[in-house]
Amino acid sequence: EAFRVLRTNLEFMRAGKDGAEVIAVTSFNPGSGKSFITMNLAMSLAIKNRKVLVIDGDMRHGSSSAYVSSPESGLSDLLNGGVTDVRNIMVLSPEHENLSILPVGSIPPNPTELLESPRFGEMLAALRGYFDYILIDCMPSLGMMPINSLAAADSVIIPSQPSYLSAKGLDLLMQSIAKVKRQINPKLKIDGILFTMVDSRTNNAKDIIENLRDTVGQNIRIFDTEIPHSVRAAECSLTGESIFAHDKTGKVAAAYENLTKEVEQLERAAQTRLRNDRVR
């Protein structure tokens, strides 16, 4: 009921499948490349003719700053009832018509209340039918905002640099995900840990990756794809472009293409399991 107007206003969009795959991209380690991963995975999916929405749930505006220089309204205003027409706040990527961005909007007096109500889940339910994928760029914290994103998501991707501190941070995140799965969202699954900013020339990075694949990888999927460290990727933050616009033939763009294949394979496997469960 609360989002009937939202559904009506979305009629201008091409409806996708019955329900979009909602993926939370989260990490407790600032500087993990979380927003960069969210936007470039989204762009790669859009290039493959998937209709994608990125929800910027990070108060630092990491996923939407390249498209909205000073967002006055967005997710926060939609959830608190200040905005009812999503067309007034959703931004279409100038790089590809299949990619839309929902900025975080103005920061409320108490940001931790932003996703505490059921309205976030209601909003996603209203949006699911119009996209193939919805990616949520979560805040790098243990607060209620990322917790509620996990509560509403189908799966989670965990970016991690191959460093000692990032590896230690994985423990806390895994505990939070396990708690959300146990108490709130039993269907939540971990798509995988994604190593980012990988400098394959250093023995330290190689050793950490190998160790985590041998230990953590026994219980939690680790993506085969590794996102390499690249100056060209760092330049994207300055130009406000995706890696596909800035360096489409480079190694980072190739890595995101491979990551997209893995993500789509995971979704196809999940859809097959769901159909089999329905048959039973």
Side-chain angles (χ1 to χ4, degrees), residues 73-217:
S73 59
L75 174 64
S76 58
D77 307 277
L78 190 63
L79 294 178
N80 66 27
V83 173
T84 56
D85 191 338
V86 73
R87 290 174 295 184
N88 292 335
I89 56 176
M90 194 176 289
V91 180
L92 190 65
S93 167
E95 288 186 33
H96 206 290
E97 61 182 6
N98 284 337
L99 176 58
S100 300
I101 299 97
L102 181 57
V104 69
S106 57
I107 301 176
N110 184 4
T112 60
E113 295 179 354
L114 181 57
L115 301 183
E116 289 185 17
S117 74
R119 292 183 66 86
F120 186 67
E122 294 172 6
M123 180 197 75
L124 281 177
L127 290 169
R128 276 181 184 263
Y130 300 91
F131 296 93
D132 297 306
Y133 288 90
I134 297 175
L135 306 185
I136 308 172
D137 182 9
C138 301
M139 287 186 67
S141 74
L142 284 165
M144 287 303 299
M145 291 180 68
I147 294 298
N148 280 277
S149 295
L150 293 173
D154 298 311
S155 62
V156 55
I157 291 176
I158 305 168
S160 179
Q161 292 185 49
S163 68
Y164 175 75
L165 290 177
S166 294
K168 292 290 286 184
L170 284 174
D171 290 337
L172 283 173
L173 182 55
M174 294 305 176
Q175 292 173 24
S176 295
I177 292 173
K179 187 174 182 180
V180 170
K181 183 177 178 68
R182 185 172 62 251
Q183 298 182 357
I184 307 173
N185 184 4
K187 295 183 179 180
L188 180 66
K189 63 184 187 296
I190 298 176
D191 280 345
I193 297 170
L194 175 66
F195 289 120
T196 67
M197 305 181 194
V198 176
D199 188 346
S200 58
R201 299 170 299 177
T202 66
N203 289 329
N204 183 54
K206 291 178 182 178
D207 291 344
I208 290 174
I209 291 173
E210 182 178 352
N211 179 262
L212 287 174
R213 288 192 183 276
D214 290 341
T215 54
V216 177

Side-chain angles (χ1 to χ4, degrees), residues 1-63:
E1 179 66 25
F3 283 88
R4 184 194 306 171
V5 176
L6 175 59
R7 288 190 179 91
T8 301
N9 290 330
L10 278 166
E11 288 177 358
F12 74 101
M13 292 181 170
R14 173 184 65 80
K17 57 188 179 181
D18 291 339
E21 179 77 6
V22 179
I23 303 173
V25 183
T26 186
S27 171
F28 288 164
N29 298 303
S32 65
K34 174 180 57 62
S35 296
F36 186 79
I37 289 164
T38 304
M39 290 307 300
N40 284 282
L41 174 58
M43 181 59 70
S44 182
L45 287 163
I47 290 170
K48 296 189 71 173
N49 204 32
R50 307 295 190 264
K51 199 160 185 65
V52 187
L53 171 66
V54 168
I55 297 177
D56 191 346
D58 190 337
M59 288 301 173
R60 301 172 306 167
H61 308 277
S63 294

Side-chain angles (χ1 to χ4, degrees), residues 222-258:
I222 297 178
F223 285 102
D224 293 333
T225 302
E226 297 173 2
I227 308 300
H229 176 76
S230 168
V231 174
R232 298 289 284 167
E235 291 171 353
C236 291
S237 299
L238 300 176
T239 62
E241 299 172 306
S242 74
I243 193 65
F244 297 98
H246 190 68
D247 187 27
K248 66 179 181 180
T249 60
K251 60 183 181 181
V252 178
Y256 276 101
E257 290 173 354
N258 291 331

